[in-house]
Amino acid sequence: QRRVREHAGVTVTRSVWVCCGDAGWHLLGNNPNFRNISLSECNQITDVGIQKMCSRLLLLETLDISFCVNVTDYATKFLAFSCRELVRLNLAGCSQLTDTSISYVSGGCHYLSHFNISNITKVTDKALRFLRRGCKLLQRLNVTLCPNITYPAIQRVESGGCVVSHSIDIKEMKLGPMLPLSETFKRPMSVGYGIYPIPRHVLLNSNFN
């Protein structure tokens, strides 16, 4: 069971710590009672600052470092295996992150329920496989503007009960060559991003482009 919380959460916003750089971020780690921290759009923070900050925040539950563009996979490794109590994590717009970061999160943050990795172009379907294996409590995932994540990978995550926000327009998925209906029901059909099983229902819509 998870430990009972004794202290109220504290939110630290970027406006409080602006321009202090990595040298100041370690001060956050001096108070292990912090539960909620937001450092969104802080360009001064780097891997060094994340490491110093997370070293003692073992009970941190919510962390937002969205659009901290100098953060790399190294920082994600440190926060994932230091802050194992994380429930909500926002890494949106951290453009240097890759699938490796998601593997660290799935390996260390098993209580994670809300995860935002939107606007990260280097993450792929592999990242979603990591999450399916390690983050069994995931309820909401945001992969909007992640061009290397495909719809079938999203569907596999959704099959586990997770709600996934994405920017893939299903109507824009290109259909393969048209087959007679008799052939369509004899074999799986390829639609857009992957192979789909034999359909049980067919929706005929003349407005579908």
Side-chain angles (χ1 to χ4, degrees), residues 65-128:
I65 56 173
S66 57
F67 297 95
C68 293
V69 295
N70 293 315
V71 172
T72 73
D73 290 336
Y74 176 80
T76 309
K77 179 180 181 180
F78 201 89
L79 74 87
F81 291 104
S82 297
C83 307
R84 291 177 176 267
E85 299 286 322
L86 278 173
V87 176
R88 295 171 178 263
L89 178 59
N90 190 346
L91 303 179
C94 295
S95 55
Q96 296 193 55
L97 301 188
T98 69
D99 292 336
T100 301
S101 282
I102 312 306
S103 71
Y104 294 145
V105 171
S106 66
C109 303
H110 300 302
Y111 295 124
L112 201 64
S113 64
H114 291 66
F115 193 22
N116 190 338
I117 55 173
S118 63
N119 210 359
I120 303 178
T121 59
K122 296 180 181 179
V123 295
T124 69
D125 289 352
K126 189 176 181 180
L128 270 58

Side-chain angles (χ1 to χ4, degrees), residues 10-186:
V10 178
T11 298
V12 180
T13 63
R14 179 175 63 93
S15 59
V16 176
W17 295 90
V18 67
C19 297
C20 66
D22 283 334
W25 295 114
H26 76 280
L27 296 176
L28 293 176
N30 291 337
N31 188 341
N33 296 325
F34 282 137
R35 297 293 183 271
N36 309 298
I37 293 179
S38 175
L39 308 175
S40 180
E41 298 184 52
C42 180
N43 294 330
Q44 295 90 350
I45 195 168
T46 68
D47 294 348
V48 175
I50 293 291
Q51 179 177 352
K52 291 178 178 180
M53 182 186 68
C54 293
S55 59
R56 293 186 61 198
L57 297 177
L58 305 182
L59 301 180
L60 191 65
E61 295 179 343
T62 301
L63 177 62
D64 181 354
I65 56 173
S66 57
F67 297 95
C68 293
V69 295
N70 293 315
V71 172
T72 73
D73 290 336
Y74 176 80
T76 309
K77 179 180 181 180
F78 201 89
L79 74 87
F81 291 104
S82 297
C83 307
R84 291 177 176 267
E85 299 286 322
L86 278 173
V87 176
R88 295 171 178 263
L89 178 59
N90 190 346
L91 303 179
C94 295
S95 55
Q96 296 193 55
L97 301 188
T98 69
D99 292 336
T100 301
S101 282
I102 312 306
S103 71
Y104 294 145
V105 171
S106 66
C109 303
H110 300 302
Y111 295 124
L112 201 64
S113 64
H114 291 66
F115 193 22
N116 190 338
I117 55 173
S118 63
N119 210 359
I120 303 178
T121 59
K122 296 180 181 179
V123 295
T124 69
D125 289 352
K126 189 176 181 180
L128 270 58
R129 290 198 295 271
F130 289 136
L131 292 177
R132 288 167 53 209
R133 295 170 186 169
C135 298
K136 302 294 186 180
L137 301 180
L138 196 62
Q139 298 175 12
R140 291 187 176 273
L141 175 65
N142 191 333
V143 295
T144 304
L145 300 178
C146 295
N148 292 310
I149 291 180
T150 65
Y151 189 61
I154 292 172
Q155 285 185 307
R156 286 189 285 270
V157 175
E158 290 178 326
S159 68
C162 178
V163 177
V164 182
S165 300
H166 62 86
S167 51
I168 297 176
D169 188 347
I170 308 303
K171 292 184 178 181
E172 294 297 326
M173 294 170 63
K174 296 181 179 180
L175 299 176
M178 295 298 294
L179 294 174
L181 284 178
S182 59
E183 292 295 324
T184 301
F185 285 93
K186 288 181 181 179

